[in-house]
Coordinates of all heavy atoms in Angstrom, one line a residue:
G4 N -4.7 -5.5 9.3 CA -5.6 -6.4 10.0 C -7.1 -6.2 9.6 O -7.9 -7.1 9.8
N5 N -7.4 -5.0 9.0 CA -8.8 -4.7 8.7 C -9.1 -4.7 7.2 O -10.0 -4.0 6.8 CB -9.2 -3.3 9.3 CG -8.4 -2.2 8.7 OD1 -7.3 -2.4 8.2 ND2 -8.9 -1.0 8.7
R6 N -8.4 -5.5 6.5 CA -8.6 -5.6 5.0 C -8.5 -7.0 4.6 O -7.8 -7.8 5.2 CB -7.6 -4.7 4.3 CG -7.7 -3.2 4.5 CD -8.9 -2.6 3.9 NE -9.1 -1.2 4.1 CZ -9.5 -0.3 3.3 NH1 -9.8 -0.7 2.0 NH2 -9.6 1.0 3.6
N7 N -9.1 -7.3 3.5 CA -8.9 -8.6 2.7 C -8.0 -8.3 1.5 O -7.8 -7.1 1.1 CB -10.3 -9.1 2.3 CG -11.1 -9.6 3.4 OD1 -10.6 -10.0 4.5 ND2 -12.4 -9.6 3.2
V8 N -7.5 -9.4 1.0 CA -6.6 -9.2 -0.1 C -7.2 -8.5 -1.3 O -6.6 -7.8 -2.1 CB -5.9 -10.5 -0.5 CG1 -7.0 -11.5 -1.1 CG2 -4.8 -10.4 -1.5
E9 N -8.5 -8.8 -1.6 CA -9.2 -8.2 -2.7 C -9.3 -6.7 -2.6 O -9.4 -6.0 -3.6 CB -10.6 -8.8 -2.9 CG -10.6 -10.3 -3.3 CD -10.4 -11.2 -2.1 OE1 -10.3 -10.7 -1.0 OE2 -10.3 -12.4 -2.4
E10 N -9.4 -6.2 -1.3 CA -9.5 -4.8 -1.1 C -8.2 -4.0 -1.3 O -8.3 -2.8 -1.5 CB -10.0 -4.5 0.3 CG -11.4 -5.2 0.6 CD -11.8 -5.0 2.0 OE1 -11.0 -4.5 2.8 OE2 -12.9 -5.5 2.4
L11 N -7.1 -4.7 -1.4 CA -5.8 -4.0 -1.6 C -5.4 -4.1 -3.0 O -4.3 -3.5 -3.4 CB -4.7 -4.6 -0.7 CG -4.4 -3.9 0.6 CD1 -3.9 -2.5 0.4 CD2 -5.6 -3.9 1.5
L12 N -6.1 -4.7 -3.9 CA -5.7 -4.9 -5.3 C -6.0 -3.6 -6.1 O -5.3 -3.3 -7.0 CB -6.4 -6.1 -5.9 CG -5.9 -7.5 -5.4 CD1 -6.7 -8.6 -6.1 CD2 -4.5 -7.6 -5.5
P13 N -7.1 -2.9 -5.9 CA -7.4 -1.7 -6.7 C -6.2 -0.7 -6.6 O -5.6 -0.5 -5.5 CB -8.7 -1.2 -6.2 CG -9.4 -2.3 -5.6 CD -8.2 -3.2 -5.0
E14 N -6.0 0.0 -7.6 CA -4.9 1.0 -7.7 C -5.1 2.1 -6.7 O -4.2 2.6 -6.0 CB -4.7 1.5 -9.1 CG -3.5 2.5 -9.2 CD -3.3 2.9 -10.6 OE1 -4.0 2.5 -11.5 OE2 -2.3 3.7 -10.9
A15 N -6.4 2.6 -6.6 CA -6.6 3.7 -5.7 C -6.3 3.3 -4.2 O -5.8 4.2 -3.5 CB -8.1 4.1 -5.8
T16 N -6.7 2.1 -3.8 CA -6.4 1.7 -2.5 C -4.9 1.6 -2.2 O -4.4 1.9 -1.1 CB -7.1 0.4 -2.2 OG1 -8.5 0.5 -2.5 CG2 -7.0 0.0 -0.7
R17 N -4.2 1.0 -3.2 CA -2.7 0.9 -3.0 C -2.1 2.3 -3.0 O -1.1 2.5 -2.2 CB -2.2 0.1 -4.2 CG -2.5 -1.4 -4.0 CD -1.8 -2.2 -5.1 NE -2.4 -2.2 -6.4 CZ -1.9 -1.6 -7.4 NH1 -0.7 -1.1 -7.4 NH2 -2.5 -1.6 -8.6
E18 N -2.6 3.3 -3.7 CA -2.0 4.6 -3.6 C -2.3 5.2 -2.3 O -1.4 5.9 -1.7 CB -2.6 5.5 -4.7 CG -2.2 5.1 -6.1 CD -0.7 5.4 -6.3 OE1 -0.1 6.2 -5.6 OE2 -0.1 4.7 -7.2
M19 N -3.4 4.9 -1.7 CA -3.7 5.4 -0.3 C -2.8 4.8 0.7 O -2.3 5.4 1.6 CB -5.2 5.1 0.0 CG -5.7 5.7 1.3 SD -7.4 5.2 1.7 CE -8.2 5.8 0.2
F20 N -2.5 3.5 0.5 CA -1.6 2.8 1.4 C -0.2 3.4 1.2 O 0.5 3.5 2.2 CB -1.6 1.3 1.1 CG -0.8 0.5 2.1 CD1 -1.4 0.1 3.3 CD2 0.5 0.1 1.9 CE1 -0.7 -0.7 4.2 CE2 1.2 -0.6 2.8 CZ 0.6 -1.0 4.0
L21 N 0.2 3.7 0.0 CA 1.6 4.3 -0.1 C 1.7 5.6 0.5 O 2.7 6.0 1.0 CB 1.9 4.4 -1.6 CG 2.2 3.1 -2.4 CD1 2.4 3.3 -3.8 CD2 3.4 2.3 -1.8
Q22 N 0.6 6.4 0.5 CA 0.6 7.7 1.2 C 0.8 7.5 2.7 O 1.6 8.2 3.3 CB -0.7 8.4 0.9 CG -0.9 8.9 -0.5 CD -2.2 9.5 -0.8 OE1 -3.0 9.8 0.1 NE2 -2.5 9.9 -2.0
G23 N 0.1 6.5 3.3 CA 0.3 6.2 4.7 C 1.8 5.7 4.9 O 2.3 6.1 6.0
S24 N 2.3 4.9 4.0 CA 3.7 4.4 4.2 C 4.7 5.6 4.1 O 5.7 5.6 4.8 CB 4.0 3.4 3.1 OG 3.1 2.3 3.2
A25 N 4.4 6.5 3.2 CA 5.3 7.7 3.1 C 5.4 8.5 4.3 O 6.4 9.1 4.7 CB 4.9 8.5 1.9
G26 N 4.3 8.5 5.1 CA 4.3 9.3 6.3 C 5.2 8.7 7.4 O 5.9 9.4 8.1
V27 N 5.2 7.4 7.5 CA 6.1 6.7 8.6 C 7.5 6.5 8.0 O 8.4 6.3 8.8 CB 5.4 5.4 9.1 CG1 4.1 5.7 9.7 CG2 5.2 4.5 7.9
W28 N 7.6 6.3 6.7 CA 8.9 6.0 6.1 C 9.7 7.3 5.9 O 10.9 7.3 5.8 CB 8.8 5.3 4.8 CG 10.0 4.5 4.3 CD1 11.2 4.9 4.2 CD2 10.0 3.1 4.0 NE1 12.1 3.9 3.8 CE2 11.3 2.8 3.6 CE3 9.0 2.1 3.9 CZ2 11.7 1.5 3.2 CZ3 9.3 0.9 3.5 CH2 10.7 0.6 3.2
E29 N 9.0 8.4 5.8 CA 9.5 9.8 5.5 C 10.3 9.8 4.2 O 11.3 10.4 4.0 CB 10.5 10.2 6.6 CG 9.8 10.2 8.0 CD 10.8 10.6 9.1 OE1 12.0 10.8 8.8 OE2 10.4 10.7 10.3
R30 N 9.7 9.0 3.2 CA 10.3 9.0 1.9 C 9.1 9.0 0.9 O 8.0 8.7 1.2 CB 11.1 7.7 1.6 CG 12.3 7.6 2.5 CD 13.4 8.7 2.2 NE 14.6 8.5 3.0 CZ 14.9 8.9 4.2 NH1 13.9 9.6 4.8 NH2 16.0 8.7 4.8
G31 N 9.4 9.4 -0.4 CA 8.4 9.5 -1.4 C 8.5 8.5 -2.5 O 7.6 8.4 -3.3
D32 N 9.7 7.8 -2.6 CA 9.9 6.9 -3.7 C 9.5 5.5 -3.3 O 10.3 4.5 -3.4 CB 11.4 6.9 -4.1 CG 12.3 6.5 -3.0 OD1 11.9 6.7 -1.8 OD2 13.4 6.0 -3.2
L33 N 8.3 5.3 -2.8 CA 7.8 4.0 -2.4 C 7.0 3.3 -3.5 O 6.4 4.0 -4.3 CB 7.0 4.1 -1.1 CG 7.6 4.8 0.1 CD1 6.7 4.9 1.3 CD2 8.9 4.0 0.5
Q34 N 7.0 2.0 -3.5 CA 6.2 1.2 -4.4 C 5.8 -0.1 -3.7 O 6.6 -0.6 -2.9 CB 7.0 1.0 -5.7 CG 8.3 0.3 -5.5 CD 9.1 0.0 -6.8 OE1 8.5 -0.4 -7.7 NE2 10.3 0.4 -6.8
V35 N 4.6 -0.6 -4.1 CA 4.1 -1.8 -3.6 C 4.8 -3.0 -4.4 O 4.7 -3.0 -5.6 CB 2.6 -1.9 -3.7 CG1 2.1 -3.2 -3.2 CG2 2.0 -0.8 -2.9
I36 N 5.4 -3.9 -3.6 CA 6.1 -5.0 -4.2 C 5.3 -6.3 -4.2 O 5.2 -7.0 -5.2 CB 7.4 -5.3 -3.5 CG1 8.3 -4.0 -3.6 CG2 8.2 -6.5 -4.1 CD1 9.6 -4.2 -2.9
N37 N 4.5 -6.5 -3.2 CA 3.8 -7.8 -3.0 C 2.6 -7.6 -2.1 O 2.7 -6.8 -1.2 CB 4.7 -8.9 -2.5 CG 4.1 -10.2 -2.5 OD1 3.0 -10.4 -3.2 ND2 4.7 -11.2 -1.9
V38 N 1.5 -8.2 -2.5 CA 0.3 -8.2 -1.7 C -0.1 -9.7 -1.5 O -0.4 -10.4 -2.4 CB -0.8 -7.5 -2.3 CG1 -2.1 -7.6 -1.5 CG2 -0.4 -6.0 -2.6
T39 N -0.1 -10.2 -0.2 CA -0.4 -11.6 0.1 C -1.4 -11.6 1.2 O -1.3 -10.9 2.2 CB 0.9 -12.3 0.6 OG1 1.9 -12.1 -0.4 CG2 0.7 -13.8 0.8
S40 N -2.3 -12.6 1.1 CA -3.3 -12.8 2.1 C -2.7 -13.4 3.3 O -1.7 -14.2 3.2 CB -4.5 -13.7 1.6 OG -5.3 -14.0 2.6

């Protein structure tokens, strides 16, 4: 809710999001499939 689509496109931001996803998913083989506004 606190981001625009342009802010999720950089690789560094997506890696930070994957780190947060790994904490709740409890898995490490995560990858971003789609980013939609």
